[in-house]
Amino acid sequence: MASSVSAEPILEVSGLVKHYPLTQGILFKKQVGAVKAVDGVDFTLHRGETLGIVGESGCGKSTVAKMLVNLEKPTAGEIRYKGEDVTGLSGRALRAVRRNIQMVFQDPYTSLNPRMTVGDIIGEPYEIHPEVAPKGDRRRKVQDLLDVVGLNPEYINRYPHQFSGGQRQRIGIARGLALRPEVIVADEPVSALDVSVQAQVINLLDRLQSEFELSYLFIAHDLSIVRHISDRVGVMYLGRIVEIGRDAEIYDHPTHPYTQALLSAVPVPDPEAREHRERIILAGDVPSPTNIPSGCRFRTRCWKAAQRCELEVPALAVPAQFRLETGPAAHDSACHFAEEKQVVPPEEPPDDHTNGGV
Ligand SMILES: Nc1ncnc2c1ncn2[C@@H]1O[C@H](COP(=O)(O)OP(=O)(O)OP(=O)(O)O)[C@@H](O)[C@H]1O
Ligand SMILES: [Mg+2]
């Protein structure tokens, strides 16, 4: 986790949308709908901060990441980098911004070209940005990067298959650092790794953050992974952020029923705490992003859903109990009932005492 988070925004995302057209017909393609992969996302990343983004598979996390590094063009919305809208940029101006926002990918097994040496993989960004490292300097720069991520600089001529999963992810991180970016978008950087290796890679990212004054957008499936690294956490559901705030706020006082359900699924090491914890099982499946429910998109699975939830889209706003807070620590929730302190699922049928709790 970053020790020096400033209040200065480095990335500001507002109203970000990515809809993929759904077409029918082979010769005469007709649009019959849209996959609403990202459907109105707002957040700010501050300098030196780690913002964790979590949510189930298909909720739009990678699509947000791809738009931030310009691998996908937004359908609508704005991405501001240091105050400048970068969504419409092209040519040299776009290249300059891209240099500063780099991505680390999920799967170190498929994201590294097997036919390239590690030196060529890590140094490839210099082909596009030769101004960062003149040709004669590149080998030394790549060796420095190998050293920085904890790999032996003598491995520079080896191929990806000669490395373990954790080492490969270190190579991916070294490549992400090659252009000395200010922002790293890490899309599930440890999900494909063994649990024993995950902590090592997270510790490395943590160290690099202070060493290079990086700001991170750290994407994960699981709230337990982002907790260790995030200053703030945003929870996504079906293309939108439904709750966002300082990590302690989200973990200790979640106000959105979806966050509460996700937290109830996080493993608790303490057996006593585990016993007293309520496990929330959500009804039904996530609706299709081609057919998003009206009003609150979570209502079809929510135990608090009322008629208002069908009619009104809840704004992502500070619930009353957190209203004293301002700035980066604010805690926003997109639930009509977020003002209530306690949101609990319906009571389970009473235990049959004759069973002695079995
Ligand atoms: N190129 C595309 N064309 C059409 N639909 C797409 C495309 N890319 C993604 N989608 C759809 O958009 C939705 C969001 O996908 P995305 O990959 O962003 O989710 P995710 O949260 O990263 O999921 P995961 O946790 O599985 O990585 C999914 O329903 C996906 O099928
Ligand atoms: Mg993804």
Side-chain angles (χ1 to χ4, degrees), residues 39 72 74 80 99 179 215 247 264 279 314 328:
D39 201 28
E72 290 280 8
R80 292 184 165 271
R99 188 191 143 181
L179 299 173
S215 310
D247 80 328
S264 86
R279 179 79 204 267

Side-chain angles (χ1 to χ4, degrees), residues 121-137:
I121 290 171
I122 297 174
E124 197 180 23
Y126 299 137
E127 302 289 331
I128 305 155
H129 295 272
E131 72 282 5
V132 182
K135 263 212 153 72
D137 254 8

